[in-house]
Amino acid sequence: MSPYEAILLTIITASTPLLLAAIGELVVERSGVLNLGIEGMMVMGAVCGFAAAHVSGSAWLGVIAAIVAGIAMSLLFGLLTQTLITNQVATGLSITLLGLGLSGLIGSGFVGLPGVQLANVSIPWLSDLPYVGRLIFGQDPLVYISIALTVAVAYVLSRTRIGLIIRAVGQSHDSAHALGYRVVAVRYACIAFGGATSGLAGAYLSLVYTPQWIENMTAGRGWIALALVVFSTWLPGRLAAGAYLFGGVWILGLYAQAMGMGIPSQLLSSLPYVVTIVALVIISTNRRLSVINTPASLGQGFVPDR
Amino acid sequence: MQLILEKRPQASSLMNFLSPVLAIALTVLMGGLIFAAMGKPPLSALYIYFIDPLTSWWSIEEVLVKAGPLVLIGVGLAVCFKANVWNIGAEGQLTAGALMGAIVPIMLAEWQGPLALLAMLLLGALGGALFAFIPAWLKTRFGVNEILTSLMLVYIAQLLLDWMVRGPWKDPDGYNFPKSVSFDGWHLLPMWGDGRMHLGLVIALVAALVLFWLMRHTLKGFEISVVGSAPKAGAFAGFSQTKMVWFCFAVSGGLAGLAGIIEVAGPIGQLQPHISPNYGFTAIIVAFLGRLNPIGVIFAGILLAISYIGGEGVQIELGVSDKTTQVFQGMLLFFILTCDTLILYRLKWVSSKTKNVSAGETL
Amino acid sequence: MPNKSNNHASLALLQVTEITKKFGDFYANDSINLSIKAGKVHALLGENGAGKSTLVKMMYGALQPSSGSIHWQGKDVSIASPAHARELGIGMVFQHFSLFEALTVAENISLALPVELRQGDLSQRIADLSKDYGLPLNPSALVADLSVGERQRIEIVRCLLQQPKLLIMDEPTAVLTPQEAKALFATLRRLVEEGCAVLYISHRLEEVKQICHDATILRHGKLVAEVDPQKETAATLAQLMVGSSVHQVSRQANDQVGDILLQLCHLNQKASTPFGVDLVDLQLQVKAGEILAVAGVAGNGQGELFAAISGEELSPDQTSIIMFGENCNTLTINQRRCLGAAFVPEERMGHGAVEHLTLTDNILLSRHACNDTNAPLNRGWIGIDRSQLDQLNQTIGLDYDVRKSKEDAVAGSLSGGNLQKFVVGRELNRQPKILVINQPTWGVDAGAAALIRQAVIDLSRQGSAILIISQDLDEIFELADTIAVMSRGQLSPIYPASELSREEIGLMMAGSHEQSTLASGA
């Protein structure tokens, strides 16, 4: 494998968890809900995925467990914000704090144990093509799933009725309610979808990226995914581009570190966070663009009168 | 039958008081279940967790030492959240304050005396505030969401601290450990009790009382609550949203920075890669549990401090992970948010009348 | 034109029997009976808060009744949801449109249609139908870019596509120009001729007499009368609605007009939000003792105008707001207050007052900066002078008849009319020399409206300059000495009120004065 292939491969591996977590949150936010609990749902996905895979020996069972864990956490969020109309920002934070704690507790018995790695796809002949073989035909399955999900979300949101309803609910829950749509149910569904993809993103970390359990192994990726959604102005195509860009920055930082160019490693490690802030500033300067796509009722609780 | 929320005609002041109590009760109950699930005797585990820390003077001191930074940061965040400004990067501001304040003992080591200590504290507050001005500036100038920027800056501050104690500020005689020189003399806070209690506790108490007065009796406090709950009415009253953002970040960042320098000049005594067991994040819970009221924050800070000490206790005595602390803290915030709903709404059973009609479109 | 036929109740298309709706302990509707017949326009009359909206929401499935029954075409039905109502053949045009700003017209319409009506070329059908009924619409336009009148057309078209048997219209003309209202009536007449029933909610009595065949009148959630509007006068209908004779506002001629106190010279201001309205070259002046009304359909820059004059929104490049002869562009709202100006915004709740704060705190909201009481209300670190606030609250309560559950109740517990009396009273209590008031009596009951209007007139006759921004032509003709009309961020020249007819104002509301016509002033 040539070095450029290796770099591209690692960039894709670094980007995929961001893309997975962000594509779910994009749908959640399009329905008018701001779930700041991604980090918590993701880390729960990581630990549950790792534990299930370790115990059963099957990476795919791990993936399923991670999805279930993500959904469970997201439904807690849904219960509070949709049914009990709590503040979404504070509730998202509580999901993150709870997730970080719970995952540590669950994972305390799994630290240092060998994990199960999700095998890469291997298609005879195609995967062995020079240059592009590994890159296009030899990734792990979740990479393809993340891309398929992005395409599906883009299609559903812009071309289907379900997408139209999600956008309508996010635009104005009062209007949607007046027309007879079940705002809370739509939002619950979107929140659960976001939980599933966040769990999947966590599984990616503990089953593909580094097949082991390390405490707080999400390292702020959930927050970066949130920033990506803002950066994408809620458009899936732009989101994917952003995710790969961020993954690229992350990996270039690591490579620079490995080559030891005399730059403090901490400076390189802080690169993704600095880039996130810079990206948010850049996107905010074009206010009209972000305002038009912003779901108008983002973050507001909905109480129907009875 | 179906359980629904019904808006109360007026916020319930009884529930305003009861809600944290109920949340604590629910947390304890869930905590017991978790202990039981881990195969530990729930009652004695809970005793070790919540009561034991209060049974000896030594551990009470420990609790107070931990409560200090929680209260200091918590009151600042209470002001922020009341004003609907979401600074969740207090952990980073704490780190920045510690770094800035440490300039005196590390770079001006010769300068001793009460003024040096005062300078350390002021620099600490300044460092926290300046660091908090980054998200404030990004929000007011570019409209960037302060939640994400303040949080990203936590990672950046921690990496900066890591670099400083492994690089420029590493103790030359420290056997290559990632630590700064140990502070001494007037670069340490006055201590008393069994040698753990320090001036920081008094500072936290004073800060809470001053902010209580500010919030309760002055126009500024009124401004904070109006801008936070009804921005348009705030504009009508002539209160500037922009200035409020700066004010909130200045207060909360300054207090977090102060907490940072107090930690390194108090219990820790030097700079090291980790100077805080997530005080900056736990203080978010403290602020909410304290009803965003500075007096309430004092009690909430003590309770959360107990959760730290109790967590260590169960770890030592029952051998459970120290992560139980974080779980308890997370649950507490979760339940306090749940119970707060009861302040504005009451739960009511209604019979579901909906007959089986073909609703043309339901999703 | 309309003639009342005494159809038997069993022929009713929709029959509502003894229907009751409780919110907590409050009866929004108490045993209401109503029967609507095909081919008729049925008026539902009542003051704000009488329970009209609650009643129709139950007919449309958006609310469920606490007790009582609904018969549709003779069959007992329980209307579970708006979708169910639409399926039965009930369409509704809301007062507050249920539209989505960032979606297209076609998407907005599609969202309200059942699956079988969404098939095929929806855009084409929208275009055809809207043309047929004289309601022109571009299916691919974004709602955010449309005027209020166009938005209402979307609501109507999406009802008509479902060929409803009953069309419910909630205050449809409140936001229309007189000409747009006329066009709407033509559409309604055609629908009725085709056999559709219309339930027409309004408090505009002239309209009701013009187009309705039957009328049901509600007061305080109870049914008070069923009448033939043709046999009633506007005055008798009003009396039934209000329950007592309506207090007439008395207005003396303003013979003592003084100096110009408030003036705008070429005010230009860019909108601060993407969907906002730019203010273009606005000019006006208000003299002492004079009431100037700015008429116009909502959303044409009135909110922006209020923000600019009050100083809530400061724009660095404006050089054009003059109060008491003093250029005050850079002054904040509080500095303008201290000069002697007072402001009442359109929204009572959330802008003029804060729902969860007490009345005394709400007084503090606009009174903390200027020392126009005995002593400063804000005493810095010592705190706020609560006893003085209590006194003010008592005075305002008495002077402006603010009815409340307790002396210092929270603002949210007051009814709309009482809160508006409080918000207006809070400013009038200062005896301001300039008063800017946006929609002074929008959505309040007749008693409160009369009190507020009288107080405003009295203030002007004491030598204050008053600028009223309103979309209610009745109110404008009751109060104004002079009138200007606003449309799309532009202002017509100022005319004496006596020289303008409703039709002329209507044409200007639709934009006849803009740009080219700006030169041909009064």
Side-chain angles (χ1 to χ4, degrees):
Chain A
M1 205 188 323
S2 63
Y4 104 88
E5 273 181 276
I7 293 184
L8 280 182
L9 271 178
T10 43
I11 286 178
I12 291 176
T13 331
S15 312
T16 300
L18 296 177
L19 181 57
L20 279 170
I23 196 72
E25 176 71 11
L26 184 139
V27 173
V28 176
E29 293 193 12
R30 274 296 182 100
S31 79
V33 178
L34 180 65
N35 185 353
L36 295 184
I38 298 187
E39 185 86 0
M41 301 188 296
M42 212 169 151
V43 78
M44 282 297 282
V47 73
C48 293
F50 179 87
H54 178 83
V55 171
S56 70
S58 157
W60 282 108
L61 274 180
V63 170
I64 291 168
I67 293 175
V68 171
I71 292 178
M73 292 298 280
S74 72
L75 288 181
L76 274 183
F77 174 84
L79 177 72
L80 260 68
T81 57
Q82 303 306 304
T83 305
L84 297 174
I85 339 273
T86 59
N87 179 307
Q88 294 184 7
V89 172
T91 310
L93 285 174
S94 89
I95 291 292
T96 288
L97 293 173
L98 192 64
L100 288 172
L102 262 182
S103 65
L105 194 63
I106 296 170
S108 59
F110 292 97
V111 177
L113 294 181
V116 184
Q117 180 149 20
L118 198 61
N120 280 1
V121 169
S122 175
I123 306 170
W125 191 70
L126 279 180
S127 301
D128 303 323
L129 280 177
Y131 303 111
V132 293
R134 277 289 317 276
L135 216 52
I136 300 180
F137 302 107
Q139 301 278 356
D140 60 87
L142 294 189
V143 168
Y144 302 110
I145 290 179
S146 71
I147 293 167
L149 272 176
T150 309
V151 174
V153 165
Y155 177 79
V156 168
L157 280 179
S158 63
R159 304 249 174 255
T160 70
R161 183 137 192 102
I162 293 175
L164 181 58
I165 293 170
I166 291 174
R167 284 187 287 143
V169 166
Q171 269 289 319
S172 163
H173 45 220
D174 292 323
S175 294
H177 177 69
L179 291 182
Y181 289 100
R182 291 167 61 192
V183 172
V184 172
V186 171
R187 288 187 169 165
Y188 257 110
C190 291
I191 289 168
F193 176 73
T197 65
S198 290
L200 204 53
Y204 194 88
L205 293 177
S206 66
L207 295 174
V208 178
Y209 197 69
T210 44
Q212 51 182 319
W213 165 245
I214 309 161
E215 242 174 49
N216 297 348
M217 70 187 300
T218 42
R221 285 184 179 82
W223 295 103
I224 292 182
L226 270 164
L228 270 174
V229 178
V230 179
F231 177 76
S232 74
T233 59
W234 295 271
L235 299 173
R238 210 188 269 252
L239 181 79
Y244 288 117
L245 206 69
F246 271 70
V249 171
W250 204 302
I251 292 306
L252 289 182
L254 287 181
Y255 269 86
Q257 220 164 313
M259 288 193 270
M261 296 192 298
I263 307 166
S265 68
Q266 293 91 344
L267 182 63
L268 294 168
S269 303
S270 67
L271 216 51
Y273 310 111
V274 175
V275 169
T276 303
I277 294 176
V278 172
L280 286 174
V281 172
I282 290 172
I283 208 68
S284 301
T285 48
N286 189 346
R287 229 174 239 193
R288 185 165 168 92
L289 184 71
S290 25
V291 168
I292 284 180
N293 285 324
T294 308
S297 55
L298 185 62
Q300 296 164 12
F302 172 68
V303 199
D305 46 355
R306 282 164 206 275
Chain B
M1 292 289 272
Q2 192 190 358
L3 194 62
I4 61 155
L5 291 178
E6 189 179 86
K7 198 158 175 119
R8 294 177 193 270
Q10 203 159 336
S12 156
S13 47
L14 177 70
M15 278 315 298
N16 196 18
F17 171 75
L18 272 187
S19 152
V21 178
L22 201 59
I24 293 166
L26 284 169
T27 307
V28 169
L29 187 73
M30 276 301 287
L33 292 176
I34 289 176
F35 282 128
M38 291 193 299
K40 309 289 174 195
L43 283 180
S44 57
L46 287 174
Y47 179 85
I48 297 168
Y49 202 104
F50 287 105
I51 311 292
D52 220 24
L54 301 174
T55 51
S56 75
W57 180 240
W58 181 86
S59 55
I60 289 176
E61 272 188 23
E62 282 297 298
V63 166
L64 292 177
V65 166
K66 283 236 171 353
L70 289 176
V71 171
L72 204 49
I73 304 170
V75 287
L77 293 185
V79 171
C80 274
F81 297 161
K82 195 102 191 170
N84 209 12
V85 173
W86 293 93
N87 174 14
I88 60 170
E91 186 77 4
Q93 291 137 26
L94 175 150
T95 309
L99 276 168
M100 189 104 158
I103 288 176
V104 174
I106 294 173
M107 299 179 73
L108 308 166
E110 301 304 306
W111 182 24
Q112 282 285 355
L115 269 183
L117 181 62
L118 188 65
M120 276 174 75
L121 294 176
L122 290 178
L123 277 173
L126 184 67
L130 285 178
F131 202 64
F133 281 168
I134 300 173
W137 180 65
L138 294 175
K139 182 178 174 72
T140 53
R141 174 70 183 78
F142 302 103
V144 183
N145 182 317
E146 74 275 23
I147 298 173
L148 293 170
T149 51
S150 64
L151 189 102
M152 291 295 139
L153 286 164
V154 173
Y155 294 98
I156 294 172
Q158 287 175 338
L159 286 163
L160 180 66
L161 171 66
D162 195 75
W163 175 65
M164 290 298 277
V165 295
R166 289 174 203 274
W169 282 5
K170 186 166 68 181
D171 181 2
D173 308 320
Y175 305 101
N176 220 18
F177 279 111
K179 286 181 174 177
S180 74
V181 292
S182 295
F183 303 170
D184 58 2
W186 278 103
H187 298 154
L188 290 171
L189 289 171
M191 308 257 181
W192 60 83
D194 295 340
R196 299 277 298 156
M197 308 269 282
H198 56 77
L199 187 65
L201 296 174
V202 182
I203 296 176
L205 207 60
V206 170
L209 292 175
V210 168
L211 283 181
F212 174 73
W213 184 266
L214 179 106
M215 302 281 280
R216 189 62 174 271
H217 293 293
T218 70
L219 189 71
K220 194 75 194 172
F222 178 71
E223 177 179 346
I224 289 165
S225 104
V226 170
V227 171
S229 58
K232 283 178 92 177
F236 179 67
F239 301 143
S240 154
Q241 186 101 35
T242 306
K243 281 185 195 155
M244 182 52 69
V245 171
W246 285 99
F247 173 82
C248 287
F249 272 101
V251 169
S252 59
L255 290 176
L258 195 56
I261 188 62
I262 286 173
E263 280 304 287
V264 295
I268 301 175
Q270 64 191 150
L271 279 183
Q272 57 189 40
H274 296 284
I275 54 171
S276 147
N278 274 346
Y279 284 141
F281 292 107
T282 307
I284 296 172
I285 305 170
V286 171
F288 278 105
L289 185 64
R291 322 250 39 120
L292 306 184
N293 172 336
I295 299 295
V297 165
I298 296 177
F299 292 103
I302 292 173
L303 184 82
L304 268 294
I306 293 174
S307 81
Y308 276 110
I309 307 298
E312 287 170 17
V314 288
Q315 189 187 7
I316 295 163
E317 297 198 24
L318 298 176
V320 300
S321 161
D322 62 334
K323 286 286 151 182
T324 39
T325 306
Q326 238 181 319
V327 177
F328 269 89
Q329 294 179 350
M331 283 197 305
L332 198 53
L333 179 55
F334 190 81
F335 284 126
I336 187 82
L337 293 170
T338 308
C339 295
D340 273 2
T341 302
L342 297 174
I343 297 173
L344 291 177
Y345 301 88
R346 57 174 150 241
L347 289 171
K348 199 177 167 189
W349 288 101
V350 293
S351 55
S352 39
K353 287 185 72 171
T354 328
K355 292 169 194 168
N356 50 341
V357 282
S358 60
E361 184 145 23
T362 45
L363 197 139
Chain C
M1 183 263 330
N3 61 327
K4 167 132 173 137
S5 58
N6 283 318
N7 277 338
H8 200 260
S10 63
L11 294 176
L13 178 68
L14 180 87
Q15 173 87 42
V16 168
T17 315
E18 294 288 311
I19 209 162
T20 295
K21 179 67 186 174
K22 278 170 72 178
F23 292 106
D25 301 329
F26 171 69
Y27 283 85
N29 280 169
D30 190 356
S31 315
I32 308 282
N33 293 304
L34 178 68
S35 109
I36 301 167
K37 298 170 205 79
K40 303 283 176 195
V41 182
H42 191 119
L44 183 58
L45 297 176
E47 282 216 75
N48 292 295
K52 295 169 298 185
S53 291
T54 306
L55 182 59
V56 295
K57 276 183 181 165
M58 289 190 283
M59 296 182 194
Y60 191 59
L63 285 175
Q64 297 305 317
S66 307
S67 67
S69 66
I70 300 176
H71 285 78
W72 174 253
Q73 296 182 311
K75 269 185 276 182
D76 187 1
V77 290
S78 156
I79 304 172
S81 68
H84 184 213
R86 290 194 293 267
E87 206 175 292
L88 292 173
I90 304 173
M92 174 153 179
V93 175
F94 292 91
Q95 181 182 9
H96 304 287
F97 304 147
S98 46
L99 295 176
F100 307 93
E101 296 231 325
L103 301 183
T104 65
V105 170
E107 284 175 325
N108 266 282
I109 291 176
S110 156
L111 276 166
L113 296 183
V115 71
E116 61 277 8
L117 282 176
R118 275 179 242 137
Q119 313 306 326
D121 191 352
L122 183 60
S123 292
Q124 191 55 50
R125 277 188 291 138
I126 293 169
D128 292 348
L129 185 127
S130 63
K131 213 164 130 198
D132 189 19
Y133 279 89
L135 304 160
L137 274 178
N138 171 11
S140 55
L142 273 189
V143 171
D145 298 328
L146 301 184
S147 73
V148 179
E150 288 170 304
R151 290 177 193 213
Q152 190 181 57
R153 278 179 226 157
I154 304 176
E155 292 262 355
I156 297 173
V157 166
R158 77 178 170 193
C159 286
L160 296 187
L161 274 170
Q162 302 180 66
Q163 297 167 316
K165 301 188 184 78
L166 168 64
L167 183 61
I168 304 173
M169 305 203 82
D170 193 356
E171 301 272 5
T173 56
V175 292
L176 300 183
T177 65
Q179 285 79 7
E180 284 175 319
K182 255 187 198 146
L184 174 69
F185 296 157
T187 306
L188 291 184
R189 286 201 183 99
R190 176 167 162 199
L191 279 172
V192 170
E193 276 162 27
E194 291 170 0
C196 182
V198 176
L199 180 62
Y200 191 90
I201 303 169
S202 183
H203 61 263
R204 297 193 167 177
L205 304 170
E206 287 304 331
E207 273 173 27
V208 169
K209 278 182 63 67
Q210 209 178 329
I211 61 162
C212 296
H213 307 90
D214 308 290
T216 296
I217 301 172
L218 300 185
R219 194 193 316 146
H220 302 314
K222 292 196 173 73
L223 182 107
V224 290
E226 285 176 301
V227 297
D228 178 348
Q230 302 311 313
K231 294 185 182 148
E232 303 289 329
T233 65
T236 54
L237 286 173
Q239 190 155 357
L240 285 168
M241 271 168 61
V242 179
S244 57
S245 58
V246 186
H247 177 73
Q248 280 296 318
V249 173
S250 72
R251 178 161 162 270
Q252 317 84 332
N254 60 333
D255 37 12
Q256 320 157 303
V257 172
D259 300 336
I260 295 174
L261 295 188
L262 172 65
Q263 195 172 6
L264 298 185
C265 296
H266 305 287
L267 172 70
N268 283 289
Q269 191 158 316
K270 285 265 167 241
S272 59
T273 56
F275 296 142
V277 178
D278 296 338
L279 298 179
V280 184
D281 198 41
L282 302 191
Q283 301 199 62
L284 60 77
Q285 59 271 322
V286 196
K287 302 190 183 84
E290 183 180 70
I291 301 178
L292 167 66
V294 170
V297 174
N300 273 284
Q302 289 92 335
E304 287 82 355
L305 175 65
F306 179 84
I309 300 183
S310 66
E312 275 186 9
E313 182 119 9
L314 290 180
S315 122
D317 51 311
Q318 61 176 240
T319 53
S320 39
I321 298 172
I322 297 160
M323 292 180 176
F324 309 108
E326 191 176 329
N327 188 335
C328 58
N329 300 298
T330 55
L331 300 188
T332 63
I333 183 167
N334 281 325
Q335 287 168 320
R336 293 179 200 195
R337 282 188 179 120
C338 295
L339 285 180
F343 312 97
V344 179
E346 176 180 2
E347 292 165 78
R348 293 181 273 282
M349 206 64 97
H351 195 172
V354 183
E355 190 174 359
H356 67 89
L357 292 183
T358 59
L359 293 180
T360 52
D361 272 350
N362 273 300
I363 294 174
L364 192 61
L365 203 61
S366 73
R367 302 282 296 264
H368 62 82
C370 311
N371 193 1
D372 49 19
T373 48
N374 310 326
L377 287 168
N378 170 27
R379 296 172 301 177
W381 275 101
I382 301 170
I384 286 151
D385 189 342
R386 290 277 158 199
S387 65
Q388 231 191 128
L389 277 179
D390 285 334
Q391 238 165 27
L392 271 175
N393 183 33
Q394 212 174 352
T395 314
I396 293 169
L398 288 174
D399 289 356
Y400 298 93
D401 187 31
V402 182
R403 304 198 188 149
K404 45 201 172 184
S405 53
K406 57 178 181 187
E407 191 57 41
D408 200 12
V410 293
S413 68
L414 267 61
S415 73
N418 280 305
L419 186 61
Q420 186 70 4
K421 284 189 277 184
F422 168 80
V423 169
V424 172
R426 175 181 67 190
E427 305 306 325
L428 295 193
N429 171 273
R430 295 177 53 206
Q431 297 290 321
K433 299 304 285 178
I434 294 176
L435 176 68
V436 181
I437 178 165
N438 193 358
Q439 317 296 350
T441 60
W442 190 246
V444 307
D445 56 278
L451 186 145
I452 290 168
R453 288 173 189 171
Q454 190 64 59
V456 166
I457 290 174
D458 292 347
L459 181 72
S460 88
R461 297 310 176 244
Q462 288 161 28
S464 296
I466 296 175
L467 173 65
I468 287 171
I469 304 170
S470 177
Q471 53 182 332
D472 182 342
L473 287 183
D474 296 333
E475 172 172 84
I476 286 173
F477 279 113
E478 201 167 303
L479 295 181
D481 300 311
T482 53
I483 297 175
V485 182
M486 191 162 204
S487 71
R488 273 176 278 187
Q490 299 184 33
L491 209 52
S492 76
I494 295 174
Y495 302 90
S498 51
E499 292 177 15
L500 279 183
S501 68
R502 280 169 186 266
E503 282 62 35
E504 285 168 313
I505 294 182
L507 286 174
M508 287 193 280
M509 281 165 134
S512 68
H513 65 88
E514 284 168 27
Q515 283 152 359
S516 57
T517 53
L518 266 176
S520 62

